[in-house]
Amino acid sequence: MTEPTTHPAILTIAGSDSSGGAGIQADLKTFAAHGCYGTSAITALTAQNTTGVQDVLPSPPEFLQKQVTSVLSDINIKAIKTGMLFDGNNVRAAISALKSHYSNSSDVTGNIPPLVCDPVCVSTSGHTLLDPSAIDVIIEELFPLAVLVTPNKAEAELILSRRQSSAATSRSIESLEDMLLAAEDLLCLASKAVLLKGGHLTVSAEDVSRVASSYPNLEIVRDGIIPNGENMEILKVNSSLAGAQLVVDVLHEILANGQKKTTILCRPRIESTNTHGTGCTLSAAIAAELALGFTLTNAVRRAVQYTYRGIATANSAIGHGHGPLNHFHSMREIVVPKITPTNPYPLTTLLIRRSARVWKAYVEHEFVKLLGKGTLPQKNFIHFIKQDYLYLKYYGRAYALLAAKSNSFPAIDSATQIVLNVLREVNTHETFCASFGITKDELARTPESPATAAYGGYLIDVALRGDATLLLMALLSCLLGYGEVGLWLEKNAKPGNGGWVILQGNPYLRWIEDYAGENYQRAVALGLETIEARATMDPPSLSRFAEWYAVWERCTELEKGFWDMAMNLS
Amino acid sequence: MTEPTTHPAILTIAGSDSSGGAGIQADLKTFAAHGCYGTSAITALTAQNTTGVQDVLPSPPEFLQKQVTSVLSDINIKAIKTGMLFDGNNVRAAISALKSHYSNSSDVTGNIPPLVCDPVCVSTSGHTLLDPSAIDVIIEELFPLAVLVTPNKAEAELILSRRQSSAATSRSIESLEDMLLAAEDLLCLASKAVLLKGGHLTVSAEDVSRVASSYPNLEIVRDGIIPNGENMEILKVNSSLAGAQLVVDVLHEILANGQKKTTILCRPRIESTNTHGTGCTLSAAIAAELALGFTLTNAVRRAVQYTYRGIATANSAIGHGHGPLNHFHSMREIVVPKITPTNPYPLTTLLIRRSARVWKAYVEHEFVKLLGKGTLPQKNFIHFIKQDYLYLKYYGRAYALLAAKSNSFPAIDSATQIVLNVLREVNTHETFCASFGITKDELARTPESPATAAYGGYLIDVALRGDATLLLMALLSCLLGYGEVGLWLEKNAKPGNGGWVILQGNPYLRWIEDYAGENYQRAVALGLETIEARATMDPPSLSRFAEWYAVWERCTELEKGFWDMAMNLS
């Protein structure tokens, strides 16, 4: 449940599926969905789609070997999976490349990263993907390097049939008990662990209970099944999975202490044709979970769940046969881009760019221009400054509510400091007004304009109904806008930059200096940082961003309305 | 900015890069990051890593053709990109497969989905990836099918040199002006549009201004650059991109009305070695944006931005040479899985599973068991019911706050209905208490237990500081837990299910029936739906889910504490 900080690299050695649902394509998609970096060595090309395999073209063994060597010699690989290997020569080529890279010690298995071997023999559509003679090479030479072998029913039967005494008939796996026996026999061939996949068998809850009572050490993992005794009656009653048929995989492994452990992984069978590439996806997901540092048992549990959800959420509109899984069900697109050196304020940039029209109407308001030129009639400024004085009461209260909604001492402190700043700003307003001959008493008796009431009321509304972040969005427009206006006027006071702003003798010089000044700009920089940090720490969903944006845009409109009011004396 | 509802399929016809940063691997990663489904036809295998191309093995033309045909014959392709094609035979094979599939009309370009042609000639590391004789085939046969051709400097020079009159010397592109001229000349060869990529040239802001004044119809797109006049002084001051060197691409296109349009796309140059596969990624991203339905200009703008961010956020730890881009910067892992038929309540299941220990301590509390058996001493039940009565005041107030925090009439209605239900439940409690001889007056005079105050105060705290969703999390534990207990007791009253619960003659029968009953269970089902809908509509980030979980777990503990209090008479 933690977001991976690194992106471990993984190598898949497998075939290419032109239709993108299986082979290295499925592997790369799966690695990516796990936050891993995927590399690939292609054993064979296929011309393939969801209805079947139209043709296969094996890679020459020496070229397969070159691909593996190119990857290993440059990139630090944390896990490997093998899929379709096509023939014995390619199995040997892959092994040779692995061994020559990881052979610093005599024991290659000590150096090689976790290798998951998916012994692909036959495609879902029935196409032979492995030369029968290659099976022995895989068993004898590749199995010993693998931490896990993941055959399905047909592959397990094939492997076991080839390794049985000559007199034995071919092995058949038809029940959960057969699966458990087969897993044991397979573990004699695989060195560390076997996952026998049960997708081609249907098992009932009764089968699981029966087996559970005969094998007391069996661990049972259920996904999408609420077992008795877990006290989730409430979920059971509200869903309807009671009599579902199950799919069960059997994981049989040798633990570090030499003991054997069996886990059966159950889930309700999903009626779906979106199963193309299920085996590839599962073994790739296991490799990814191992690369991320999970134990084998946990890696398998998590990978089974991932694959299962890939089937459950698949898009049935791709292809006319057995369609692909949804490999990216576990990810979604972000709304606010990540902070980078060239985009240090992605959230704020997005808010301003999207609201460009109203933002411009606010910060380039006629009121601001006249103020900059020093030609704003005094009565308009006085009306503004009186209403701004009343507005500051709401603004201060909103920051007090922010303090009340904060969950950490630093956050309570920072909001409280702003309340104190607002109170100081009130003093400045009083002094300012005094210079225009307005007494403190007259200020206090000024009736509230509708624009002031609308804006103030909205701030308090957001403060009461939203969380601290939403309130920050409401407070941002005022904070940024006045900072923007201060800088804009200052810039345009310079001869080279148009120079329409007059500072000398401007009756509102003090106001311009206040907002362009270091103190206010420091507060703006802090506000920017705070809001960007929120979006980074708690990236909003599309719907939450829409809520943030609506509040920002509304406040920007209310700011514009505030200056309209000053111009209209309304 | 809308989440794509479909996942359009795209075909890439290109080489395979074993190291995963370029070729079809980069293309598939890019398609996935755009929510598109990727398919691929491999023109050549490479043994390649971040330091260079060690070897290339072309696919036989007939096998390339088979791959394209397999994909097109089965999957509805919404966009195509071509990358490295290796030689003239493979160019012809690809075109032949496209033409034979899309030739229902005489005008193949009328049927073919948008095709982006990246005329890959040379790798970043300097390896020749296209037989020189193939360039003419690409120009003459592939360009006419493409909606866009995307050469870099070297490729543009090569293409233009081959097409110039025999006497001309080779063409060189060294300035932004050269780029604009080259784009015009290239458009004479490409049928619809050219994107001349400027990654190998360094341009200054002055160059852009100069060109802007000579070409009045030029559209200038800036990413990570705040132009004058946009009134974002505040962001300019707080970032430090003033004197940055720029990278500029030139898009020159023929619009539907026959007019030509030029767009230049600028961004600050990033000093990065993570540029392996930049060209592949960009053309793949353009194809993806086209498949999603964006216009060519917008597709290019978005794709340039995506690619740029891929470089800016790249993980420099992969490989020893020119490392890959970060293809998945625009996505992140989700915390709560999607709703599926076999997992209808993913959020609630996650909450209960994670808090299994405390959840069990709550719903299987000794108090509950004794109540079920009918052996709970009356004094404990009376203590409980009196405190529960006091608790309901907080509970009702919390729902009133939920109504106050709701943003839609249905949400206000549903919260208000629950307030009314709580008031009815108060009546039930009064009647219940009367049956134990407790007057309404005595109930009202009951002092609040610390457990009641702790729980009630916590509810009001969450209600005041969080948003409506966080409050729903706080209210969920009580709602679900009592429903769970009701069903659990009812189930265990049946002989087959253990049968330790006694209904007949149980003094608390009415209590059990109330919570197992249809009315209460309907409220639970509604609560489940509401909370799951929130998580679906507004999927939480990791940090937001952690906040949700903390509130859920805390309330579950407080529920357990409530029954502890009943048992201790505390």
Side-chain angles (χ1 to χ4, degrees):
Chain A
M1 197 58 75
T2 53
E3 276 177 316
T5 47
T6 58
H7 300 277
I10 308 178
L11 169 64
T12 171
I13 305 173
S16 158
D17 169 7
S18 52
S19 74
I24 63 135
Q25 285 82 358
D27 297 340
L28 293 172
K29 290 174 185 183
T30 303
F31 298 156
H34 285 81
C36 296
Y37 181 79
T39 68
S40 53
I42 295 178
T43 57
L45 297 180
T46 69
Q48 182 176 171
N49 58 34
T50 69
T51 67
V53 179
Q54 283 81 44
D55 205 354
V56 182
L57 177 76
S59 306
E62 55 281 10
F63 204 87
L64 174 58
Q65 198 164 343
K66 275 185 185 168
Q67 293 175 78
V68 175
T69 302
S70 284
V71 172
L72 296 181
S73 65
D74 182 39
I75 296 172
N76 184 10
I77 293 295
K78 298 291 191 188
I80 299 170
K81 92 148 240 193
T82 62
M84 164 194 177
L85 292 164
F86 193 74
D87 63 16
N89 288 337
N90 268 348
V91 178
R92 286 197 193 92
I95 292 171
S96 159
L98 292 173
K99 285 196 170 167
S100 76
H101 184 77
Y102 293 110
S103 64
N104 309 359
S105 89
S106 57
D107 174 22
V108 66
T109 59
N111 292 326
I112 197 170
L115 186 151
V116 177
C117 170
D118 183 10
V120 177
C121 301
V122 178
S123 75
T124 308
S125 53
H127 204 99
T128 298
L129 298 175
L130 186 75
D131 185 88
S133 70
I135 296 171
D136 296 326
V137 189
I138 289 183
I139 296 172
E140 280 157 31
E141 302 185 32
L142 188 55
F143 278 13
L145 300 182
V147 295
L148 180 69
V149 177
T150 63
N152 62 21
K153 169 177 147 59
E155 289 153 357
E157 287 169 347
L158 197 62
I159 292 166
L160 290 174
S161 300
R162 287 192 81 81
R163 306 307 288 181
Q164 258 160 344
S165 59
S166 54
T169 54
S170 72
R171 181 78 171 255
S172 169
I173 301 168
E174 303 303 337
S175 67
L176 188 49
E177 279 86 350
D178 286 352
M179 285 182 77
L180 286 159
L181 290 174
E184 266 185 62
D185 291 346
L186 286 162
L187 193 56
C188 301
L189 305 172
S191 55
K192 299 205 179 112
V194 170
L195 178 69
L196 176 52
K197 297 176 292 188
H200 296 97
L201 286 167
T202 294
V203 170
S204 68
E206 291 68 46
D207 295 334
V208 174
S209 307
R210 190 182 61 243
V211 162
S213 59
S214 340
Y215 293 75
N217 292 324
L218 207 60
E219 190 180 334
I220 302 175
V221 173
R222 294 172 172 90
D223 190 35
I225 304 169
I226 300 162
N228 290 329
E230 242 195 73
N231 238 324
M232 289 164 83
E233 299 298 325
I234 209 85
L235 297 183
K236 260 192 264 184
V237 163
N238 285 287
S239 64
S240 52
L241 301 169
Q245 293 290 332
L246 306 182
V247 175
V248 176
D249 297 331
V250 174
L251 173 64
H252 194 53
E253 59 185 310
I254 302 176
L255 301 176
N257 63 12
Q259 291 195 312
K260 287 180 182 170
K261 177 182 162 192
T262 309
T263 310
I264 67 173
L265 303 109
C266 320
R267 58 234 177 249
R269 176 173 290 278
I270 305 169
E271 286 312 320
S272 170
T273 58
N274 283 83
T275 54
H276 178 77
T278 303
C280 303
T281 300
L282 177 62
S283 51
I286 297 170
E289 300 286 5
L290 291 172
L292 290 168
F294 289 96
T295 63
L296 184 68
T297 319
N298 282 336
V300 170
R301 287 175 73 150
R302 293 170 60 91
V304 164
Q305 209 167 70
Y306 164 82
T307 307
Y308 182 64
R309 289 182 185 152
I311 298 171
T313 61
N315 174 0
S316 57
I318 295 165
H320 297 85
H322 287 273
L325 282 63
N326 174 10
H327 286 102
F328 291 97
H329 62 81
S330 58
M331 295 185 102
R332 64 184 184 80
E333 283 186 64
I334 59 171
V335 185
V336 180
K338 290 199 169 70
I339 290 177
T340 59
T342 58
N343 194 13
Y345 308 108
L347 171 62
T348 314
T349 305
L350 199 56
L351 292 173
I352 294 183
R353 286 253 154 107
R354 271 228 196 167
S355 61
R357 191 194 47 76
V358 54
W359 172 254
K360 223 169 157 137
Y362 162 32
V363 296
E364 297 182 12
H365 200 278
E366 187 63 16
F367 178 91
V368 174
K369 291 181 186 161
L370 294 179
L371 192 147
K373 291 174 188 159
T375 58
L376 179 71
Q378 206 188 75
K379 63 176 191 301
N380 297 95
F381 188 79
I382 288 178
H383 188 58
F384 161 72
I385 205 85
K386 281 169 152 182
Q387 292 300 322
D388 200 40
Y389 179 82
L390 297 175
Y391 167 77
L392 285 177
K393 208 187 289 171
Y394 292 105
Y395 196 64
R397 284 171 58 209
Y399 271 106
L401 282 167
L402 181 63
K405 294 198 155 202
S406 296
N407 221 344
S408 74
F409 286 122
I412 298 171
D413 182 34
S414 121
T416 307
Q417 292 302 335
I418 299 178
V419 178
L420 296 175
N421 283 342
V422 168
L423 295 176
R424 271 190 289 274
E425 209 176 333
V426 167
N427 268 326
T428 316
H429 273 58
E430 285 166 355
T431 317
F432 219 138
C433 284
S435 78
F436 290 106
I438 302 157
T439 64
K440 215 170 144 176
D441 193 46
E442 187 185 341
L443 257 179
R445 277 187 290 104
T446 304
E448 220 174 61
S449 286
T452 312
Y455 194 177
Y458 186 69
L459 283 184
I460 302 300
D461 173 26
V462 172
L464 290 176
R465 74 176 154 84
D467 60 6
T469 307
L470 196 71
L471 180 48
L472 282 172
M473 295 298 152
L475 296 164
L476 188 63
S477 187
C478 177
L479 180 71
L480 284 193
Y482 278 62
E484 180 69 27
V485 163
L487 293 181
W488 187 53
L489 292 179
E490 193 183 53
K491 188 179 90 173
N492 284 291
K494 291 174 193 155
N497 283 310
W500 54 268
V501 170
I502 311 295
L503 294 184
Q504 218 169 5
N506 189 322
Y508 313 115
L509 177 61
R510 167 79 188 285
W511 192 93
I512 298 172
E513 284 176 346
D514 270 3
Y515 290 110
E518 209 182 305
N519 269 344
Y520 191 81
Q521 292 297 330
R522 203 181 303 124
V524 171
L526 192 68
L528 273 175
E529 255 173 59
T530 305
I531 206 94
E532 295 292 341
R534 292 278 166 139
T536 298
M537 201 196 67
D538 179 14
S541 66
L542 202 63
S543 111
R544 195 148 179 251
F545 177 77
E547 208 185 339
W548 289 1
Y549 178 76
V551 168
W552 156 270
E553 193 191 37
R554 183 78 196 278
C555 287
T556 306
E557 278 162 2
L558 288 163
E559 282 289 351
K560 177 195 170 286
F562 205 81
W563 279 335
D564 288 345
M565 170 267 286
M567 294 308 291
N568 304 336
L569 300 174
S570 60
Chain B
M1 196 60 74
T2 53
E3 276 178 315
T5 46
T6 59
H7 300 276
I10 308 179
L11 168 64
T12 170
I13 305 174
S16 158
D17 169 5
S18 53
S19 74
I24 63 134
Q25 286 81 359
D27 297 341
L28 293 172
K29 290 175 185 183
T30 302
F31 298 156
H34 285 81
C36 296
Y37 180 79
T39 67
S40 53
I42 295 178
T43 58
L45 297 180
T46 69
Q48 181 176 174
N49 58 34
T50 69
T51 68
V53 179
Q54 283 79 47
D55 205 355
V56 182
L57 177 74
S59 306
E62 56 281 11
F63 204 86
L64 174 58
Q65 197 164 343
K66 276 185 183 166
Q67 293 175 76
V68 175
T69 302
S70 284
V71 172
L72 296 181
S73 65
D74 182 39
I75 296 171
N76 184 9
I77 293 296
K78 297 292 188 186
I80 299 171
K81 93 148 239 193
T82 61
M84 164 194 177
L85 292 164
F86 193 75
D87 63 15
N89 288 336
N90 268 348
V91 179
R92 287 197 192 91
I95 292 171
S96 156
L98 292 174
K99 285 196 170 166
S100 76
H101 183 77
Y102 293 110
S103 64
N104 308 358
S105 88
S106 57
D107 173 23
V108 65
T109 60
N111 291 327
I112 197 170
L115 186 151
V116 178
C117 170
D118 184 10
V120 177
C121 301
V122 177
S123 75
T124 308
S125 53
H127 204 100
T128 300
L129 298 175
L130 186 74
D131 185 86
S133 69
I135 296 171
D136 296 325
V137 188
I138 288 183
I139 297 172
E140 281 157 29
E141 301 186 32
L142 189 54
F143 279 13
L145 300 182
V147 293
L148 179 70
V149 177
T150 65
N152 61 22
K153 170 178 145 60
E155 289 152 358
E157 287 169 348
L158 197 62
I159 292 167
L160 290 174
S161 300
R162 288 191 80 82
R163 306 307 288 184
Q164 259 158 344
S165 60
S166 54
T169 54
S170 72
R171 180 78 169 257
S172 169
I173 301 169
E174 302 303 337
S175 67
L176 189 49
E177 280 86 349
D178 287 352
M179 285 182 76
L180 287 159
L181 289 174
E184 268 184 61
D185 291 345
L186 285 163
L187 193 56
C188 301
L189 304 172
S191 57
K192 299 208 179 108
V194 170
L195 177 68
L196 176 51
K197 297 176 291 187
H200 297 96
L201 285 168
T202 294
V203 169
S204 68
E206 290 69 43
D207 295 334
V208 174
S209 306
R210 192 182 61 244
V211 161
S213 58
S214 339
Y215 293 74
N217 292 325
L218 206 59
E219 189 179 336
I220 302 177
V221 173
R222 294 172 173 90
D223 189 35
I225 304 169
I226 301 160
N228 291 329
E230 241 196 70
N231 238 324
M232 289 165 83
E233 300 298 325
I234 208 85
L235 297 183
K236 260 192 259 182
V237 163
N238 285 286
S239 64
S240 52
L241 301 170
Q245 293 291 331
L246 306 182
V247 175
V248 176
D249 298 331
V250 173
L251 173 64
H252 194 53
E253 58 186 311
I254 301 176
L255 300 176
N257 61 14
Q259 291 195 310
K260 285 180 183 171
K261 176 180 162 193
T262 309
T263 310
I264 67 172
L265 304 110
C266 320
R267 57 236 178 246
R269 175 173 291 280
I270 305 170
E271 287 310 321
S272 171
T273 57
N274 284 82
T275 53
H276 179 78
T278 303
C280 304
T281 300
L282 176 62
S283 51
I286 297 170
E289 301 286 5
L290 291 172
L292 291 167
F294 289 96
T295 64
L296 184 67
T297 320
N298 282 337
V300 171
R301 288 175 73 148
R302 292 170 61 91
V304 164
Q305 210 169 69
Y306 164 82
T307 306
Y308 182 64
R309 288 180 186 155
I311 298 172
T313 62
N315 173 1
S316 57
I318 294 165
H320 296 84
H322 286 273
L325 281 64
N326 174 10
H327 287 101
F328 291 96
H329 62 82
S330 58
M331 295 186 101
R332 63 184 186 80
E333 283 186 63
I334 58 170
V335 186
V336 180
K338 291 199 167 72
I339 290 177
T340 59
T342 58
N343 193 13
Y345 308 108
L347 171 63
T348 314
T349 305
L350 199 56
L351 292 173
I352 294 183
R353 285 253 155 107
R354 271 227 195 166
S355 61
R357 192 194 46 78
V358 54
W359 172 255
K360 221 170 159 138
Y362 161 33
V363 296
E364 296 182 11
H365 200 279
E366 188 62 18
F367 178 91
V368 174
K369 290 181 188 163
L370 294 179
L371 192 146
K373 290 176 190 159
T375 58
L376 179 72
Q378 207 187 75
K379 65 176 189 302
N380 297 94
F381 188 80
I382 288 177
H383 188 59
F384 161 74
I385 205 86
K386 282 169 150 183
Q387 293 299 322
D388 201 40
Y389 179 81
L390 298 175
Y391 167 79
L392 285 177
K393 207 187 289 171
Y394 292 105
Y395 196 66
R397 285 172 58 209
Y399 271 106
L401 282 166
L402 181 63
K405 296 201 154 203
S406 296
N407 222 343
S408 74
F409 287 122
I412 298 172
D413 182 35
S414 121
T416 307
Q417 293 301 336
I418 299 178
V419 178
L420 296 176
N421 282 342
V422 169
L423 295 176
R424 273 191 288 274
E425 210 176 331
V426 167
N427 269 327
T428 316
H429 273 57
E430 286 167 355
T431 316
F432 218 136
C433 283
S435 78
F436 289 106
I438 302 157
T439 66
K440 213 169 149 176
D441 192 47
E442 188 186 341
L443 256 179
R445 280 186 291 104
T446 304
E448 218 174 62
S449 286
T452 311
Y455 195 177
Y458 186 70
L459 282 185
I460 301 300
D461 173 26
V462 171
L464 289 177
R465 73 176 155 84
D467 60 5
T469 307
L470 196 71
L471 179 49
L472 282 172
M473 295 297 152
L475 296 164
L476 189 63
S477 188
C478 176
L479 180 72
L480 284 193
Y482 277 64
E484 180 69 27
V485 163
L487 292 181
W488 187 54
L489 292 179
E490 192 183 55
K491 187 179 91 173
N492 284 292
K494 289 174 193 156
N497 282 310
W500 54 269
V501 171
I502 310 295
L503 295 184
Q504 215 167 8
N506 189 322
Y508 314 116
L509 177 62
R510 167 79 188 285
W511 192 93
I512 299 172
E513 283 175 346
D514 269 3
Y515 291 109
E518 208 181 307
N519 269 345
Y520 191 81
Q521 292 296 330
R522 203 182 301 124
V524 170
L526 192 67
L528 272 175
E529 253 173 60
T530 306
I531 206 92
E532 295 293 341
R534 293 277 166 141
T536 298
M537 200 196 66
D538 178 14
S541 67
L542 201 62
S543 111
R544 196 147 179 253
F545 176 77
E547 209 185 336
W548 289 1
Y549 178 76
V551 168
W552 156 268
E553 192 190 39
R554 183 77 197 277
C555 287
T556 307
E557 278 162 2
L558 288 163
E559 282 288 354
K560 176 193 170 287
F562 204 82
W563 278 336
D564 289 344
M565 172 266 287
M567 293 309 290
N568 304 334
L569 301 174
S570 60

